[in-house]
Amino acid sequence: MSKQLRAPWRRALCGALALCMAAVCGGAAASADYKSDWEQAEADLKKEQQVLEQIQNDKNKAEQQKKSLQNQQTIIVSQINDTIDQINQKNSEIAIQQQAIADQQAVIDERWADFKERMQAMQVMQDSGAVAVLASAQSLYDLLTYSDNLQRISEKDTEILQEMNDEKAKLEAEEAELEAAKAELEDAKAALDTKENQLAANIQAQNKTISQKEAAAEAQETVVAEMQKRADEAEKQYEAWVASQASTGSGVCAEGFRWPLDIAGRVTTEFGATQNINGVIQTGHSGMDIAAPYGTPIKAAHDGVISSTTGHWSYGNVVMVDNGDGVTTLYAHMSSIAVGVGQSVKQGDVIGYVGSTGNSTGNHLHFEVRINGVKQNPRNYVAF
C-alpha cells in the first residue's frame, strides 16, 4: 500500500476530491436528483400505504362492530322466540282456565235450576206468596237480599251454592293473573322487537360502511400500486446511474477506497448518530449503515487480507479486512460470508452479502473504517 495512505487526512482529501470531480462532471447533481426522486417516491408510497392501512383498519373495525351487533341480534331473537313461546303457553293456560270457568258456571246453573224447581214445588205445596217471590229470583244475589225468605231455604243448598260461586270467583281471579302475566310478556316482546329492529338498522349501517371502505380500499390499492411502480422505477433509475458510475470508477480516489456496494443503497444512519435499535437507545454510532436489498453483494473497499470472520451478538456475521498501515475495514450484519481468514482480497472482490443478522432492524450493511483501532467517519474514506 502506498505511504500516502498512512495519513487519514489524505484519505479525507481523496474522498473530497472524488466528490468534487463528480460535481464538475455533473455526476453529483445527477446522483442527488436520482436519489431525491427515489426518496420522494418512497415517502409518497409510504404515505399512501398508511392511508390504505387506515382504510383497512376502519373496514376491519366496522366488520368487528357488525359481528358484535349480529351476536347481540342473535341473542335478542332467541329471547323473542322464548317470549313468544311463553305467551303461547299463557294463551293455552288462559284457554284452559276459561273452560274451567265455563264448566263451573254450567254446574252452578244446573244447581240453581234444581234449586228453583224445589222452590216451585214448595210454592205448590204451601201455596205461599213468599215462596212465589223466592221462586221468581233470577240470581243468588236476589235470593240473598230477601233475608226473611232465606231462613226457609235449606242450609245445605245455600252452602253448596256459595262454594260453587266461590270456586268460580277463584277461577276468574286465576284467569286475571294469567292475563296480567301474558300482558307483561307481550310488553317484554314489544321491547325486544324494538331493540332487534334497532340492531338490524345498525347492522345495515355497518354493511354500508363496510361497502364504502371496500370501495375506498380498492381505489387506494390502485393508488398504492401506481406509487409502488413509481418508486420501483425511481430506484431502478438511481441504481442504473450508480452502476454506470461504478463501471467508470466514480467514487474511488486514485489511491482511495471504493463504495462497498455496487449500488448506492440508502444511508440510514451516519457515523456518530443516535439510534433506536429494537427499543434500545444507542449514541455514537460507530460506522455507516447503508440500506440495501437482502443478498446484495458486499465488495472490499480496498486491497487487504481477511483478518476475522465470525458471528457476533451485535454485528451478526461480520468480516474484518486488514488493509495495512493500521487501517482496518469492517462489514457487519451479512446474510452470509464469502471469504475466509487469511485470504487476500482486491478492491471490489465480493466478501459477503447484505443481510440483517445480529442486533439489526432490517437488511443493511454496517461499514466501519478504523485507524489503529480508532473508529473513523467512513465519509472521509468513501464517496458516492
Side-chain angles (χ1 to χ4, degrees):
M1 179 177 288
S2 170
K3 293 181 181 179
Q4 291 178 329
L5 290 178
R6 294 177 181 175
W9 66 269
R10 289 186 181 275
R11 295 186 181 85
L13 177 61
C14 197
L17 286 173
L19 288 175
C20 291
M21 291 176 65
V24 170
C25 297
S31 174
D33 289 343
Y34 283 123
K35 189 172 184 179
S36 176
D37 289 346
W38 179 25
E39 290 176 344
Q40 184 61 53
E42 289 284 352
D44 292 343
L45 172 61
K46 183 177 181 180
K47 180 179 178 181
E48 297 301 336
Q49 287 173 331
Q50 290 173 341
V51 172
L52 175 59
E53 183 179 358
Q54 184 60 54
I55 293 172
Q56 291 172 333
N57 288 339
D58 291 342
K59 175 192 170 186
N60 291 337
K61 183 178 180 181
E63 288 176 338
Q64 290 172 357
Q65 291 175 341
K66 175 186 174 181
K67 184 175 181 180
S68 176
L69 291 170
Q70 287 176 325
N71 290 338
Q72 295 178 51
Q73 186 183 45
T74 298
I75 294 172
I76 294 298
V77 169
S78 177
Q79 292 175 343
I80 289 173
N81 291 334
D82 288 344
T83 304
I84 291 173
D85 290 342
Q86 294 178 51
I87 291 173
N88 291 336
Q89 180 63 31
K90 290 301 176 186
N91 283 330
S92 297
E93 293 174 2
I94 289 171
I96 293 172
Q97 197 71 10
Q98 289 173 341
Q99 184 60 49
I101 292 171
D103 292 344
Q104 183 68 11
Q105 184 62 54
V107 173
I108 291 173
D109 292 343
E110 184 179 357
R111 186 74 183 186
W112 180 251
D114 292 344
F115 183 71
K116 290 180 69 174
E117 287 180 0
R118 284 196 297 274
M119 291 299 99
Q120 290 173 354
M122 290 174 62
Q123 183 180 28
V124 171
M125 289 188 300
Q126 298 182 11
D127 192 23
S128 169
V131 173
V133 172
L134 291 175
S136 65
Q138 297 300 313
S139 67
L140 180 61
Y141 174 78
D142 293 340
L143 183 63
L144 295 177
T145 57
Y146 295 96
S147 59
D148 292 339
N149 294 329
L150 285 175
Q151 296 176 0
R152 300 175 179 223
I153 299 174
S154 166
E155 292 182 358
K156 188 62 178 177
D157 285 342
T158 303
E159 180 181 350
I160 291 173
L161 284 169
Q162 188 61 50
E163 288 177 354
M164 288 181 176
N165 279 280
D166 289 344
E167 181 63 24
K168 178 185 175 184
K170 180 181 177 182
L171 292 172
E172 290 173 340
E174 291 174 352
E175 180 192 9
E177 291 178 0
L178 290 172
E179 290 286 358
K182 174 187 172 183
E184 290 180 1
L185 288 170
E186 289 175 338
D187 289 342
K189 180 181 178 296
L192 290 170
D193 286 338
T194 299
K195 190 170 184 179
E196 196 275 332
N197 289 336
Q198 184 60 55
L199 286 170
N202 292 341
I203 290 171
Q204 185 62 32
Q206 290 302 322
N207 283 333
K208 182 178 180 181
T209 299
I210 292 169
S211 296
Q212 291 173 342
K213 294 302 179 182
E214 286 176 344
E218 185 176 351
Q220 188 62 21
E221 284 171 354
T222 300
V223 173
V224 169
E226 289 298 324
M227 295 305 301
Q228 183 68 64
K229 183 178 179 181
R230 172 187 158 193
D232 291 343
E233 183 62 28
E235 182 179 10
K236 288 179 181 178
Q237 290 179 355
Y238 182 48
E239 290 181 350
W241 182 88
V242 169
S244 67
Q245 297 303 303
S247 65
T248 60
S250 176
V252 180
C253 293
E255 296 180 317
F257 287 59
R258 65 155 280 165
W259 190 254
L261 302 171
D262 280 341
I263 63 172
R266 183 168 56 224
V267 176
T268 57
T269 309
E270 296 284 359
F271 178 80
T274 298
Q275 294 177 286
N276 184 340
I277 303 178
N278 298 319
V280 177
I281 303 300
Q282 297 181 356
T283 59
H285 188 231
S286 60
M288 175 191 293
D289 286 347
I290 309 169
Y294 180 89
T296 299
I298 299 171
K299 304 294 184 71
H302 207 286
D303 299 350
V305 177
I306 305 301
S307 60
S308 175
T309 60
T310 185
H312 186 272
W313 73 270
S314 179
Y315 284 120
N317 293 329
V318 59
V319 169
M320 295 183 68
V321 180
D322 182 356
N323 302 107
D325 295 328
V327 181
T328 301
T329 47
L330 179 148
Y331 312 78
H333 305 305
M334 293 182 175
S335 60
S336 61
I337 296 172
V339 292
V341 174
Q343 178 180 339
S344 295
V345 293
K346 294 292 185 180
Q347 185 181 71
D349 286 348
V350 176
I351 59 175
Y353 301 91
V354 170
S356 186
T357 56
N359 194 16
S360 171
T361 57
N363 295 316
H364 72 283
L365 167 64
H366 174 86
F367 177 65
E368 291 184 14
V369 177
R370 301 179 181 181
I371 306 296
N372 295 322
V374 180
K375 297 170 184 177
Q376 309 292 318
N377 187 346
R379 289 285 191 184
N380 294 332
Y381 301 90
V382 294
F384 213 109

